[in-house]
Every structure is written in structure tokens, then in C-alpha cells.
Amino acid sequence: MAESKYGAPIEIGLARHAPKKDTPKNSGGEYEVADQQVDVEAAEGGIEQFTRELIERLDVAPAGTIMALEPSNIERAKETRNLIKDKLTELLADRDDIEMVEIGQERRAAETLVERINAEPDKKFVITDIRDTELIGFNKEETQVKVLNKWKTIFAGNEDLIGKLRAAHPGEIAELQEEIAAAGIDLKGNELHPQEFGTTPEEVAMRLYRWMQIMKRIGEKHFPNRPLILEGISHNIRADFTMLALLDEDISLESINRVLGGKFREPLERSSVSFAADGHVEVAYRKERKLYSPEEFSNLLARIKKNARTRKEEWQDMRETTL
């Protein structure tokens, strides 16, 4: 049988970090989202369930599957990965069919490990120390993060409203104002400025998809023809913007309410993008499933880029209107 030009199947999971200590940084109610840590006690049950599901995913995966865990650069995502790693160590203690390994920082040792993994084509491995990445996280000095802190303070910690504000089109501002009022917050429509975030929801989605491409390419380079499950630990709003875009939805107040039920993902909630050996791509999140041919998926990515340009123009008009 001829080898597929698309290689072995690759599933890329995207999960939110574990529950965080979601409290203001001071008595004035101001938030600093980059510094919020995992609430280890609150996370315990969710971490065990999430880790058991990872193991179940490996159990039903083809022989030789390799799983890797990569967190965002934000501390709570790295904490989450470490909690998962500890739970994997506990739950896999009596298993010899799945081996946990670390790449490490030294190049030759990493190359030796890759060679050993490739020398055992039927064994399953979990790589637990892939270096954290800003592509699925954020830089705390970015404009979008400073604006996020501002609105989290105004919205008294309500991140669903923050995501909706960032995604709202001009024609949706009045409806959003009503939702905000229903939450007990008194703001006028002319006080709501999505353009303050600077980076559009579509640009956020393309950034996370770029991480998927990089992970896929690295996996294929080092472990050719091995099935891969690559798990990213990210954040709620950016992960859900990405999934809406990859489900071929316009990122908007309307789609957040219709597709997501008005709520961004919960701690440790997971979505996935699977690249099949025949080139088809399946996007799965909650009850939503979309299957694309290679050509259809390529066209989807082009639409997302076009939507980003359209949003930039929309935001520019909004800036000029508020001058």
C-alpha cells in the first residue's frame, strides 16, 4: 500500500488550564490576569478526570502513539501541566505499555531519547516537558492584556462579558449593552469599544492555529509515521475564538451565544483538531463537529484571514466614529 502524503494521523487537543484563584489583586477590585495562579485544591478532582481521559485516549489510540503536553507561557498553564504530569505518574505506575519521558534541555540527550522512541515503534509514550509557548498564551505587556485587565475590573471578574465585548460587531453593541445591564453593570453603548484590544479575535485564532502547524511539523519531523496526540494547555477566550473560527463561524456576540451558549470554556474543558492520514481535518468542540477536505480546510483558513482584515477595517471605522 502506498504511503499517504499526509502521514500518520495527528490529533491536537486544546484545553483550558485548571481552576485559578480568580480574585482581584487589591482591595480596589483591580485584576492582573497574567499573575493568577492555579487553585490546587479546587483543581484536584478535575485534574484526575482530565488525566484519566488522556489515558483513555491513549488506550484506544493505535500502537506506537506518542502524546506530548505543552503549556502556554503563563504560570497557571505550566502549573496545570505539572499537576497532570504528577497524576499521570500515579495512574501509570503499574503500566509498562505507556512510558512517560522527558526531552530535557540538553540537545544530545534529547536526540538520544528521540532515537530510542523511534526504535520502539509499537510502544506508546507521553512526553511531559515540551517547552511552554507564548503562541497559546500571551505577553503581559501586550495592549490586549492591559485592556483585558481593565475590562475584567469593570465587569467584576466576568470573563464571558470580556470575550463578548471583544467579539462584538458594531451592530451587536446594543444587544451586548443589554446583557451587561442584566449582569448589574451600568454602561452606555458608547462606552463599549472592542477596538481597544488591538488584536482581533481572528488574529488570535490564526496565532493559535500557527502553534498547531508548528507542533504538527515538529512531530512529523522527529516521529515520522507515528500517530501523535499533542495537548496544548491554554486559556478560555483565545481557545474559544480559535474553535469558533475553525468551525467556520463568524466570531461574534451572536455565535458566542448560539454556539457556545453564551459561556466560554470551563477549566480543563478540551477541544480538538484532528488531521487524518487521508488529509481530512475534523474540528470538534462540545457538540459541534466539522469535517473538511484538504481543499475545504485551506479555503477556511483563507476566510479567517479575510475576516481579520474585515474586522480591522470595522475597528478603524469605530475609532474614527469615537474621535
Side-chain angles (χ1 to χ4, degrees):
M1 181 181 292
E3 182 179 311
S4 167
K5 70 175 182 178
Y6 297 103
I10 298 176
E11 178 179 345
I12 300 182
L14 191 61
R16 186 184 178 187
H17 54 75
K20 61 186 176 182
K21 297 176 181 177
D22 200 6
T23 55
K25 68 176 182 179
N26 56 35
S27 59
E30 295 179 317
Y31 283 84
E32 180 56 68
V33 295
D35 295 336
Q36 293 181 309
Q37 306 294 303
V38 164
D39 185 332
V40 176
E41 184 176 348
E44 185 175 353
I47 287 290
E48 176 155 358
Q49 179 181 342
F50 184 85
T51 306
R52 287 186 182 279
E53 289 171 356
L54 288 183
I55 295 172
E56 289 171 6
R57 202 166 285 120
L58 263 178
D59 282 339
V60 300
T65 295
I66 299 167
M67 177 180 284
L69 311 177
E70 181 174 28
S72 87
N73 63 310
I74 302 303
E75 191 61 33
R76 60 181 173 273
K78 292 186 279 187
E79 288 178 309
T80 299
R81 194 262 301 274
N82 290 339
L83 290 171
I84 294 168
K85 175 184 171 183
D86 290 345
K87 185 57 66 173
L88 279 169
T89 301
E90 174 189 330
L91 296 176
L92 294 175
D94 297 324
R95 301 270 302 260
D96 57 10
D97 57 326
I98 301 175
E99 181 177 348
M100 295 173 59
V101 294
E102 294 188 353
I103 292 290
Q105 300 300 315
E106 201 279 314
R107 181 175 178 178
R108 183 55 200 153
E111 291 173 346
T112 299
L113 177 62
V114 169
E115 290 171 1
R116 184 170 77 79
I117 291 173
N118 284 325
E120 299 183 74
D122 294 326
K123 188 168 185 177
K124 296 177 181 179
F125 291 88
V126 183
I127 302 172
T128 61
D129 67 335
I130 302 295
R131 185 179 301 176
D132 60 88
T133 174
E134 195 175 296
L135 283 174
I136 58 175
F138 49 86
N139 182 328
K140 64 188 300 182
E141 300 304 320
E142 289 178 314
T143 296
Q144 60 178 317
V145 178
K146 296 176 181 179
V147 176
L148 175 59
N149 287 332
K150 166 191 166 180
W151 283 104
K152 183 152 184 173
T153 300
I154 293 171
F155 290 149
N158 189 324
E159 294 186 359
D160 293 326
L161 289 178
I162 297 169
K164 290 178 180 183
L165 171 61
R166 189 169 185 175
H169 293 297
E172 298 179 312
I173 294 297
E175 181 183 348
L176 176 60
Q177 183 188 0
E178 292 178 2
E179 288 196 30
I180 293 169
I185 302 167
D186 184 21
L187 287 173
K188 296 180 175 61
N190 60 11
E191 296 178 279
L192 302 174
H193 305 300
Q195 67 273 22
E196 288 182 345
F197 288 93
T199 305
T200 70
E202 293 80 12
E203 288 173 315
V204 169
M206 289 307 300
R207 177 169 161 177
L208 263 74
Y209 180 68
R210 186 161 69 251
W211 165 77
M212 294 182 193
Q213 288 180 304
I214 292 169
M215 287 290 284
K216 182 173 179 288
R217 186 165 61 246
I218 291 173
E220 290 170 333
K221 174 183 177 182
H222 293 292
F223 306 109
N225 302 314
R226 293 284 286 267
L228 303 175
I229 302 175
L230 310 174
E231 298 287 337
I233 302 166
S234 185
H235 305 269
N236 56 346
I237 294 174
R238 61 196 58 242
D240 280 6
F241 282 171
T242 302
M243 297 315 296
L244 283 172
L246 294 180
L247 286 166
D248 202 12
E249 295 283 351
D250 175 41
I251 305 173
S252 64
L253 176 62
E254 187 277 335
S255 67
I256 292 169
N257 286 336
R258 174 175 50 82
V259 180
L260 303 183
K263 302 285 291 182
F264 287 85
R265 70 179 63 197
E266 297 295 328
L268 297 168
E269 189 172 3
R270 182 183 185 271
S271 54
S272 65
V273 180
S274 300
F275 300 86
D278 64 2
H280 281 75
V281 180
E282 182 181 46
V283 179
Y285 183 35
R286 294 182 177 170
K287 296 180 180 179
E288 303 294 324
R289 296 285 187 280
K290 274 289 185 76
L291 183 65
Y292 302 95
S293 69
E295 181 180 5
E296 288 170 339
F297 194 70
S298 179
N299 290 338
L300 169 66
L301 298 177
R303 283 196 297 277
I304 298 172
K305 293 177 183 178
K306 181 180 178 181
N307 290 343
R309 295 192 295 270
T310 301
R311 176 93 61 170
K312 283 285 192 185
E313 294 169 359
E314 190 176 89
W315 280 7
Q316 183 58 38
D317 290 343
M318 295 177 78
R319 290 188 188 95
E320 293 172 356
T321 301
T322 57
L323 290 178

